[in-house]
Amino acid sequence: MRTPIALAATGLALTALSACSGEPQAGNGDSASSAPTKNAMNDKNDRITVTATDTECKVAVNEVSTGTSTFAITNAGSKVTEFYVYAPGDRVMGEVENIVPGLTREVVVDLPAGDYETTCKPGTVGKGIRNPLKVSGLHQPPADDARLAEAIAGYKRYITSQSETLLVKTREFVGAVKAGDIGKAKGLYPVARTYWERIEPVAEIFGDLDPAIDAREADLEDGQEWTGYHRIEKDLWVKKDVSTDGPIADKLMADVTTVVNKSAAARLSPVQLADGAKELLDEVATRKITGEENIWSHTDLWDFDANLEGSKAAVQALRPVLEERSPDLVKTLDAKFAAAETALDAHREGDGWKLHGKLSKEELRKLSDAINALAEPISRIAAAVVK
């Protein structure tokens, strides 16, 4: 569940991506208006500008042509915000998180014809401030390239393998919870979540399933039912009693099964692979390094490792394309991934990882620096893929 925190690690401000967005057709964010000129709607790099405040989400256009579009979101408010492009049913087509006040971040989205919504989430909560986005024209996705099609197929094989183990480990975890075996459930908790965290860029596409599975207590809105891994985590480590958690465990298993089935059928684009790799690093920087994710179990480094592995899997799937289109970027990615893995490996303990509370501020800073250094070249993958 991605709900970013404002950090000192705003080195994650990503460098500019450039991609053609096609010819926009109409007005700004909150309502359709007479169409301004293209130069009025977009910046000089043909990015669609979005100005987010605490009360508004002003998108420069409400109609674009099919294909790839780059949204540049500037936070002009006082709260950390997020930006999403939703298909019907809140299917996530693209997102960018941890946009702190004063920061501009970008996301490249590949959209076929249809009706969508652009959404800003000031404070990173709620349904957000939404605007209609119409996409029209004949869609020719980048995956028409045989190498990109193979990249998607390879990544989906990875998702399938991780999903199969996610089902097995979640079933074991649920069984231990329902049996009241707290010690066994605690041991299985970070293991099951490892497979969830690796596939989360795909899993979170499906609307409300991600928060049902992975919402923290701090993420909840007034009146929202709390279910999923973190609800059980609190009962295991704080309440130390899971005797009433049977229905929550059953729902977790059902929701995970639904995500796995939907993921197997999902149609992905190369841009989604690139964005997914970036999103997983955002997850590390905003939740794992700070200890915000698993605040009772302190098993954040298990999730850190899973996010890093999932990001690398997406990049490796795209590697043959990147080697041809941007070989220097590949060399940089290899070096930065190796550095991040080395930084994390220093905190192995037995078959797992040290608890978050055992790391000093200096050790956490080094991990943060390694992730920030990797995030910059990863932010350039989407533009390389679609050029």
Side-chain angles (χ1 to χ4, degrees):
M1 173 71 178
R2 293 179 165 82
T3 305
I5 310 297
L7 299 178
T10 53
L12 270 177
L14 304 181
T15 55
L17 303 175
S18 60
C20 178
S21 64
E23 289 289 339
Q25 304 294 321
N28 66 34
D30 294 311
S31 62
S33 62
S34 59
T37 65
K38 183 176 179 180
N39 286 340
M41 292 185 294
N42 293 357
D43 69 9
K44 63 182 180 181
N45 294 315
D46 205 26
R47 297 171 296 190
I48 300 169
T49 58
V50 181
T51 302
T53 71
D54 297 347
T55 58
E56 293 182 304
C57 185
K58 294 183 177 180
V59 184
V61 300
N62 58 26
E63 186 169 351
V64 298
S65 298
T66 57
T68 56
S69 294
T70 301
F71 292 85
I73 306 95
T74 298
N75 186 350
S78 63
K79 301 176 181 178
V80 179
T81 195
E82 301 170 337
F83 176 80
Y84 294 82
V85 178
Y86 286 123
D90 282 0
R91 183 170 186 264
V92 178
M93 303 301 292
E95 66 174 291
V96 61
E97 303 170 344
N98 198 38
I99 313 172
V100 301
L103 185 67
T104 297
R105 299 192 67 184
E106 299 179 5
V107 62
V108 180
V109 186
D110 182 35
L111 299 173
D115 294 320
Y116 301 86
E117 289 181 314
T118 55
T119 303
C120 301
K121 289 189 178 182
T124 72
V125 296
K127 293 293 185 180
I129 304 167
R130 300 193 176 210
N131 305 286
L133 178 70
K134 184 176 180 62
V135 180
S136 56
L138 179 64
H139 186 228
Q140 294 181 323
D144 284 353
D145 183 312
R147 287 161 297 184
L148 288 173
E150 176 52 35
I152 293 171
Y155 183 66
K156 289 204 71 173
R157 288 192 292 271
Y158 172 79
I159 293 297
T160 297
S161 70
Q162 298 303 305
S163 296
E164 289 172 350
T165 310
L166 171 64
L167 286 174
V168 171
K169 293 303 177 184
T170 302
R171 190 173 294 112
E172 292 176 2
F173 173 65
V174 164
V177 170
K178 293 178 71 174
D181 191 335
I182 290 179
K184 184 176 181 180
K186 283 184 173 181
L188 286 166
Y189 171 79
V191 177
R193 284 186 53 78
T194 290
Y195 299 95
W196 167 258
E197 292 287 341
R198 288 174 184 162
I199 71 165
E200 195 169 9
V202 177
E204 73 166 3
I205 289 173
F206 309 112
D208 291 337
L209 281 168
D210 179 50
I213 291 168
D214 201 31
R216 304 171 309 152
E217 189 172 29
D219 301 327
L220 301 178
E221 301 173 48
D222 291 343
Q224 180 181 345
E225 180 186 12
W226 187 23
T227 59
Y229 286 116
H230 292 302
R231 166 65 189 275
I232 298 173
E233 177 200 7
K234 184 175 183 180
D235 289 346
L236 286 169
W237 271 271
V238 178
K239 188 178 177 182
K240 297 180 172 58
D241 180 6
V242 291
S243 60
T244 61
D245 283 3
I248 299 169
D250 285 338
K251 186 178 188 307
L252 172 63
M253 190 71 240
D255 288 342
V256 167
T257 301
T258 299
V259 163
V260 167
N261 291 337
K262 285 179 174 288
S263 296
R267 297 183 64 180
L268 303 176
S269 75
V271 170
Q272 284 176 302
L273 269 64
D275 286 346
K278 175 175 63 69
E279 290 160 15
L280 284 171
L281 293 188
D282 286 354
E283 183 87 341
V284 172
T286 59
R287 297 283 286 273
K288 277 63 178 191
I289 288 177
T290 63
E292 299 279 344
E293 181 74 22
N294 299 289
I295 61 172
W296 296 292
S297 65
H298 307 297
T299 55
D300 301 275
L301 292 193
W302 276 261
D303 288 8
F304 185 130
D305 177 58
N307 289 156
L308 191 59
E309 287 188 17
S311 180
K312 189 174 184 178
V315 173
Q316 290 299 100
L318 292 166
R319 186 183 184 95
V321 177
L322 294 173
E323 285 179 330
E324 178 180 340
R325 300 183 184 181
S326 189
D328 289 342
L329 178 58
V330 173
K331 293 177 183 178
T332 300
L333 288 165
D334 286 346
K336 299 303 183 183
F337 264 115
E341 290 166 345
T342 298
L344 180 60
D345 281 344
H347 306 296
R348 285 191 178 275
E349 189 169 86
D351 293 332
W353 302 93
K354 294 177 182 176
L355 297 181
H356 184 274
K358 291 185 177 181
L359 273 64
S360 68
K361 289 183 179 180
E362 177 61 17
E363 288 171 329
L364 291 170
R365 185 194 63 77
K366 288 180 179 178
L367 288 175
S368 179
D369 288 348
I371 290 299
N372 290 339
L374 174 58
E376 190 282 322
I378 280 187
S379 74
R380 293 188 263 136
I381 293 176
V385 165
V386 301
K387 71 180 180 182

